[in-house]
């Protein structure tokens, strides 16, 4: 008779996610994973798959959190432009709270070109985040709150790339004011 799992799957996935986030994919060994999760090797493999499969599950888990964060950020703000601005600021604020680079941004530089499954996932995730920005941009254009003349999809890509640079700048400098100045510049350059 098979044994029931005696652990919280989501909790263990979060532990693994945080380990990958701290150390990176290559520096994390299966021994590190077993130690962090407090499971034996066979439980890790049976429940989460091999290291790459576990990593992809961790990325998916993290991406869901980030996508929900982006969706929630400006949800209750009436002005589409202010919702867009609030969402951009919220990304920077999350960077300060996390005190480390976004897991997906880190993964882009570590594995983006080396692992086709990871690269595919990252592109899909970027498209989902860009779609959130694009919807806010279109609404802001329709409301006459955004400078005209920009293609919404290009502007969404630019904003997401800028948000990724906020992570990098804060990690390099640790200076919230520098990042806030960059955020303010981005937002003011978009305002009509």
């Amino acid at each position: 008779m098979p044994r029931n799992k005696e652990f919280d799957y989501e909790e263990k996935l979060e532990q693994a996610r945080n380990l990958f986030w701290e150390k990176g994919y290559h520096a994390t060994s299966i021994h590190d994973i077993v130690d962090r999760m407090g499971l034996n090797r066979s439980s890790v493999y049976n429940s989460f798959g091999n290291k790459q499969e576990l990593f992809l599950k961790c990325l998916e888990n993290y991406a869901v959190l980030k996508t929900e964060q982006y969706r929630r950020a400006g949800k209750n703000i009436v002005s589409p432009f202010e919702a867009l601005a609030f969402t951009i600021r919220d990304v920077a604020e999350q960077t300060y709270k996390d005190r480390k680079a976004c897991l997906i941004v880190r993964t882009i530089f570590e594995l983006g070109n080396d692992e086709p499954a990871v690269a595919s996932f990252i592109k899909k995730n970027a498209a989902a985040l860009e779609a959130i920005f694009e919807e806010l941009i279109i609404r802001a254009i329709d409301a006459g709150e955004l400078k005209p003349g920009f293609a919404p999809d290009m502007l969404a890509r630019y904003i997401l790339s800028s948000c990724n640079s906020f992570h990098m700048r804060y990690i390099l400098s640790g200076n919230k004011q520098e990042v806030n100045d960059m955020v303010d510049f981005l937002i003011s350059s978009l305002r009509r």
Side-chain angles (χ1 to χ4, degrees):
M1 182 164 132
R3 287 181 48 187
N4 290 334
K5 291 180 188 171
E6 298 174 2
F7 60 86
D8 181 319
Y9 183 89
E10 293 300 319
E11 177 185 311
K12 296 301 180 184
L13 190 62
E14 183 179 347
Q15 290 170 346
R17 183 191 76 216
N18 289 339
L19 177 63
F20 283 124
W21 200 355
E22 291 164 19
K23 295 184 77 169
Y25 178 79
H26 291 302
T28 301
S29 70
I30 198 68
H31 181 73
D32 295 330
I33 293 166
V34 166
D35 283 351
R36 178 65 64 96
M37 295 173 85
L39 300 173
N40 62 44
R41 248 178 227 264
S42 63
S43 291
V44 171
Y45 284 117
N46 290 337
S47 299
F48 300 96
N50 64 29
K51 179 180 166 182
Q52 183 184 30
E53 291 167 331
L54 172 59
F55 184 69
L56 283 169
K57 288 175 181 162
C58 290
L59 275 181
E60 289 169 10
N61 173 270
Y62 182 81
V64 167
L65 295 174
K66 296 310 283 182
T67 302
E68 286 306 310
Q69 175 199 349
Y70 280 48
R71 281 196 180 111
R72 272 192 324 268
K75 188 173 185 170
N76 296 322
I77 300 173
V78 175
S79 160
F81 185 83
E82 291 307 320
L84 176 63
F86 187 87
T87 303
I88 294 168
R89 289 185 197 290
D90 191 61
V91 171
E93 285 299 319
Q94 190 63 50
T95 299
Y96 309 146
K97 288 178 194 170
D98 291 340
R99 302 188 61 76
K100 54 190 166 194
C102 167
L103 177 60
I104 293 173
V105 171
R106 180 182 181 138
T107 301
I108 290 168
F109 291 105
E110 185 178 9
L111 298 172
N113 291 329
D114 300 333
E115 296 286 337
V118 172
S120 174
F121 175 80
I122 288 170
K123 287 176 187 172
K124 185 175 110 181
N125 181 69
L129 297 179
E130 289 166 8
I132 293 168
F133 282 128
E134 188 173 354
E135 179 186 333
L136 291 169
I137 290 163
I138 290 169
R139 288 179 38 221
I141 289 170
D142 291 347
E145 298 176 336
L146 194 92
K147 283 184 181 174
F150 299 108
D153 60 334
M154 181 283 302
L155 198 49
R157 286 190 303 275
Y158 177 76
I159 291 170
L160 183 61
S161 295
S162 296
C163 289
N164 293 339
S165 73
F166 301 153
H167 295 292
M168 182 215 46
R169 187 68 211 161
Y170 184 65
I171 297 309
L172 289 175
S173 73
N175 187 323
K176 287 169 70 169
Q177 189 55 54
E178 282 183 7
V179 177
N180 285 337
D181 290 345
M182 292 169 64
V183 169
D184 290 343
F185 178 78
L186 172 61
I187 291 168
S188 68
S189 70
L190 301 171
R191 190 181 302 274
R192 185 173 187 121

mmCIF file of all heavy atoms in Angstrom, residues 8-21 36-37 48 58 61 65:
data_model
loop_
_atom_site.group_PDB
_atom_site.id
_atom_site.type_symbol
_atom_site.label_atom_id
_atom_site.label_comp_id
_atom_site.label_asym_id
_atom_site.label_seq_id
_atom_site.Cartn_x
_atom_site.Cartn_y
_atom_site.Cartn_z
ATOM 1 N N ASP A 8 3.460 19.343 3.050
ATOM 2 C CA ASP A 8 2.693 20.319 2.278
ATOM 3 C C ASP A 8 3.460 20.587 0.981
ATOM 4 O O ASP A 8 4.554 21.178 1.013
ATOM 5 C CB ASP A 8 2.519 21.589 3.108
ATOM 6 C CG ASP A 8 1.709 22.660 2.406
ATOM 7 O OD1 ASP A 8 1.899 22.871 1.185
ATOM 8 O OD2 ASP A 8 0.900 23.313 3.077
ATOM 9 N N TYR A 9 2.894 20.173 -0.139
ATOM 10 C CA TYR A 9 3.552 20.286 -1.446
ATOM 11 C C TYR A 9 3.956 21.732 -1.739
ATOM 12 O O TYR A 9 5.098 22.006 -2.132
ATOM 13 C CB TYR A 9 2.612 19.757 -2.539
ATOM 14 C CG TYR A 9 3.210 19.750 -3.918
ATOM 15 C CD1 TYR A 9 3.915 18.649 -4.376
ATOM 16 C CD2 TYR A 9 3.065 20.854 -4.766
ATOM 17 C CE1 TYR A 9 4.471 18.627 -5.643
ATOM 18 C CE2 TYR A 9 3.624 20.847 -6.038
ATOM 19 C CZ TYR A 9 4.321 19.737 -6.471
ATOM 20 O OH TYR A 9 4.882 19.731 -7.721
ATOM 21 N N GLU A 10 3.025 22.665 -1.556
ATOM 22 C CA GLU A 10 3.302 24.080 -1.866
ATOM 23 C C GLU A 10 4.397 24.643 -0.968
ATOM 24 O O GLU A 10 5.227 25.442 -1.419
ATOM 25 C CB GLU A 10 2.025 24.914 -1.756
ATOM 26 C CG GLU A 10 0.985 24.593 -2.811
ATOM 27 C CD GLU A 10 1.470 24.826 -4.233
ATOM 28 O OE1 GLU A 10 2.160 25.838 -4.485
ATOM 29 O OE2 GLU A 10 1.159 23.994 -5.105
ATOM 30 N N GLU A 11 4.399 24.251 0.297
ATOM 31 C CA GLU A 11 5.432 24.720 1.225
ATOM 32 C C GLU A 11 6.810 24.235 0.784
ATOM 33 O O GLU A 11 7.779 24.996 0.785
ATOM 34 C CB GLU A 11 5.116 24.223 2.635
ATOM 35 C CG GLU A 11 6.147 24.595 3.674
ATOM 36 C CD GLU A 11 5.837 23.966 5.024
ATOM 37 O OE1 GLU A 11 4.677 24.078 5.479
ATOM 38 O OE2 GLU A 11 6.752 23.342 5.601
ATOM 39 N N LYS A 12 6.899 22.966 0.402
ATOM 40 C CA LYS A 12 8.179 22.402 -0.043
ATOM 41 C C LYS A 12 8.625 23.035 -1.362
ATOM 42 O O LYS A 12 9.812 23.291 -1.567
ATOM 43 C CB LYS A 12 8.101 20.881 -0.178
ATOM 44 C CG LYS A 12 7.844 20.167 1.132
ATOM 45 C CD LYS A 12 8.925 20.451 2.155
ATOM 46 C CE LYS A 12 8.654 19.732 3.466
ATOM 47 N NZ LYS A 12 9.642 20.067 4.498
ATOM 48 N N LEU A 13 7.670 23.304 -2.240
ATOM 49 C CA LEU A 13 7.989 23.967 -3.504
ATOM 50 C C LEU A 13 8.540 25.368 -3.231
ATOM 51 O O LEU A 13 9.517 25.791 -3.858
ATOM 52 C CB LEU A 13 6.743 24.034 -4.394
ATOM 53 C CG LEU A 13 6.961 24.474 -5.829
ATOM 54 C CD1 LEU A 13 7.877 23.514 -6.573
ATOM 55 C CD2 LEU A 13 5.618 24.568 -6.544
ATOM 56 N N GLU A 14 7.948 26.074 -2.287
ATOM 57 C CA GLU A 14 8.438 27.409 -1.920
ATOM 58 C C GLU A 14 9.851 27.330 -1.345
ATOM 59 O O GLU A 14 10.699 28.177 -1.646
ATOM 60 C CB GLU A 14 7.491 28.056 -0.915
ATOM 61 C CG GLU A 14 7.893 29.460 -0.535
ATOM 62 C CD GLU A 14 6.933 30.114 0.435
ATOM 63 O OE1 GLU A 14 5.818 29.591 0.648
ATOM 64 O OE2 GLU A 14 7.304 31.170 0.983
ATOM 65 N N GLN A 15 10.122 26.324 -0.543
ATOM 66 C CA GLN A 15 11.471 26.157 0.008
ATOM 67 C C GLN A 15 12.487 25.942 -1.111
ATOM 68 O O GLN A 15 13.568 26.544 -1.106
ATOM 69 C CB GLN A 15 11.496 24.977 0.993
ATOM 70 C CG GLN A 15 10.748 25.249 2.269
ATOM 71 C CD GLN A 15 10.567 23.998 3.130
ATOM 72 O OE1 GLN A 15 10.762 22.869 2.679
ATOM 73 N NE2 GLN A 15 10.180 24.209 4.379
ATOM 74 N N ALA A 16 12.138 25.098 -2.067
ATOM 75 C CA ALA A 16 13.035 24.863 -3.201
ATOM 76 C C ALA A 16 13.184 26.133 -4.038
ATOM 77 O O ALA A 16 14.300 26.474 -4.456
ATOM 78 C CB ALA A 16 12.512 23.714 -4.060
ATOM 79 N N ARG A 17 12.079 26.823 -4.264
ATOM 80 C CA ARG A 17 12.119 28.070 -5.041
ATOM 81 C C ARG A 17 13.062 29.072 -4.396
ATOM 82 O O ARG A 17 13.891 29.696 -5.063
ATOM 83 C CB ARG A 17 10.709 28.654 -5.154
ATOM 84 C CG ARG A 17 10.652 29.909 -6.006
ATOM 85 C CD ARG A 17 9.318 30.599 -5.890
ATOM 86 N NE ARG A 17 9.241 31.296 -4.618
ATOM 87 C CZ ARG A 17 8.139 31.417 -3.886
ATOM 88 N NH1 ARG A 17 7.008 30.894 -4.280
ATOM 89 N NH2 ARG A 17 8.172 32.063 -2.764
ATOM 90 N N ASN A 18 12.950 29.224 -3.081
ATOM 91 C CA ASN A 18 13.808 30.185 -2.386
ATOM 92 C C ASN A 18 15.274 29.778 -2.437
ATOM 93 O O ASN A 18 16.160 30.635 -2.530
ATOM 94 C CB ASN A 18 13.330 30.376 -0.947
ATOM 95 C CG ASN A 18 12.026 31.135 -0.889
ATOM 96 O OD1 ASN A 18 11.654 31.849 -1.817
ATOM 97 N ND2 ASN A 18 11.304 30.970 0.192
ATOM 98 N N LEU A 19 15.540 28.480 -2.407
ATOM 99 C CA LEU A 19 16.911 27.991 -2.537
ATOM 100 C C LEU A 19 17.477 28.327 -3.918
ATOM 101 O O LEU A 19 18.588 28.866 -4.034
ATOM 102 C CB LEU A 19 16.957 26.482 -2.293
ATOM 103 C CG LEU A 19 18.317 25.806 -2.463
ATOM 104 C CD1 LEU A 19 19.319 26.331 -1.445
ATOM 105 C CD2 LEU A 19 18.161 24.291 -2.339
ATOM 106 N N PHE A 20 16.739 28.029 -4.971
ATOM 107 C CA PHE A 20 17.182 28.373 -6.329
ATOM 108 C C PHE A 20 17.367 29.883 -6.462
ATOM 109 O O PHE A 20 18.295 30.348 -7.125
ATOM 110 C CB PHE A 20 16.177 27.886 -7.371
ATOM 111 C CG PHE A 20 16.220 26.417 -7.658
ATOM 112 C CD1 PHE A 20 15.085 25.637 -7.511
ATOM 113 C CD2 PHE A 20 17.386 25.798 -8.097
ATOM 114 C CE1 PHE A 20 15.107 24.268 -7.791
ATOM 115 C CE2 PHE A 20 17.421 24.433 -8.386
ATOM 116 C CZ PHE A 20 16.278 23.668 -8.219
ATOM 117 N N TRP A 21 16.476 30.636 -5.841
ATOM 118 C CA TRP A 21 16.538 32.086 -5.908
ATOM 119 C C TRP A 21 17.809 32.600 -5.224
ATOM 120 O O TRP A 21 18.450 33.521 -5.702
ATOM 121 C CB TRP A 21 15.292 32.652 -5.233
ATOM 122 C CG TRP A 21 14.909 34.047 -5.583
ATOM 123 C CD1 TRP A 21 15.557 34.956 -6.373
ATOM 124 C CD2 TRP A 21 13.726 34.715 -5.139
ATOM 125 N NE1 TRP A 21 14.872 36.129 -6.440
ATOM 126 C CE2 TRP A 21 13.735 36.002 -5.688
ATOM 127 C CE3 TRP A 21 12.671 34.337 -4.319
ATOM 128 C CZ2 TRP A 21 12.732 36.932 -5.434
ATOM 129 C CZ3 TRP A 21 11.672 35.261 -4.078
ATOM 130 C CH2 TRP A 21 11.692 36.541 -4.632
ATOM 131 N N ARG A 36 17.309 21.427 2.167
ATOM 132 C CA ARG A 36 16.392 22.564 2.356
ATOM 133 C C ARG A 36 14.956 22.098 2.519
ATOM 134 O O ARG A 36 14.207 22.616 3.347
ATOM 135 C CB ARG A 36 16.504 23.524 1.173
ATOM 136 C CG ARG A 36 15.560 24.726 1.215
ATOM 137 C CD ARG A 36 15.817 25.716 2.359
ATOM 138 N NE ARG A 36 17.096 26.358 2.276
ATOM 139 C CZ ARG A 36 17.334 27.552 1.732
ATOM 140 N NH1 ARG A 36 16.335 28.252 1.248
ATOM 141 N NH2 ARG A 36 18.557 28.024 1.692
ATOM 142 N N MET A 37 14.561 21.134 1.713
ATOM 143 C CA MET A 37 13.171 20.674 1.747
ATOM 144 C C MET A 37 12.901 19.719 2.912
ATOM 145 O O MET A 37 11.746 19.493 3.269
ATOM 146 C CB MET A 37 12.801 20.010 0.414
ATOM 147 C CG MET A 37 12.812 20.990 -0.752
ATOM 148 S SD MET A 37 12.584 20.167 -2.345
ATOM 149 C CE MET A 37 10.802 20.081 -2.403
ATOM 150 N N PHE A 48 8.445 15.786 -7.186
ATOM 151 C CA PHE A 48 8.785 17.000 -7.935
ATOM 152 C C PHE A 48 9.575 16.737 -9.215
ATOM 153 O O PHE A 48 9.768 17.636 -10.019
ATOM 154 C CB PHE A 48 9.584 17.964 -7.046
ATOM 155 C CG PHE A 48 8.842 18.394 -5.814
ATOM 156 C CD1 PHE A 48 9.049 17.743 -4.603
ATOM 157 C CD2 PHE A 48 7.928 19.427 -5.857
ATOM 158 C CE1 PHE A 48 8.362 18.131 -3.456
ATOM 159 C CE2 PHE A 48 7.240 19.825 -4.719
ATOM 160 C CZ PHE A 48 7.450 19.173 -3.516
ATOM 161 N N CYS A 58 9.233 25.492 -9.833
ATOM 162 C CA CYS A 58 9.508 26.669 -9.002
ATOM 163 C C CYS A 58 9.321 27.956 -9.811
ATOM 164 O O CYS A 58 8.738 28.926 -9.314
ATOM 165 C CB CYS A 58 10.926 26.602 -8.436
ATOM 166 S SG CYS A 58 11.169 25.336 -7.185
ATOM 167 N N ASN A 61 5.620 28.524 -10.309
ATOM 168 C CA ASN A 61 5.042 28.991 -9.051
ATOM 169 C C ASN A 61 5.345 30.473 -8.854
ATOM 170 O O ASN A 61 4.464 31.265 -8.512
ATOM 171 C CB ASN A 61 5.612 28.138 -7.903
ATOM 172 C CG ASN A 61 5.225 28.635 -6.542
ATOM 173 O OD1 ASN A 61 5.935 29.448 -5.962
ATOM 174 N ND2 ASN A 61 4.122 28.129 -6.033
ATOM 175 N N LEU A 65 2.835 34.063 -8.964
ATOM 176 C CA LEU A 65 2.853 35.121 -7.948
ATOM 177 C C LEU A 65 3.085 36.494 -8.578
ATOM 178 O O LEU A 65 2.415 37.469 -8.229
ATOM 179 C CB LEU A 65 3.936 34.843 -6.898
ATOM 180 C CG LEU A 65 3.774 33.611 -6.039
ATOM 181 C CD1 LEU A 65 5.007 33.408 -5.152
ATOM 182 C CD2 LEU A 65 2.525 33.723 -5.178
#
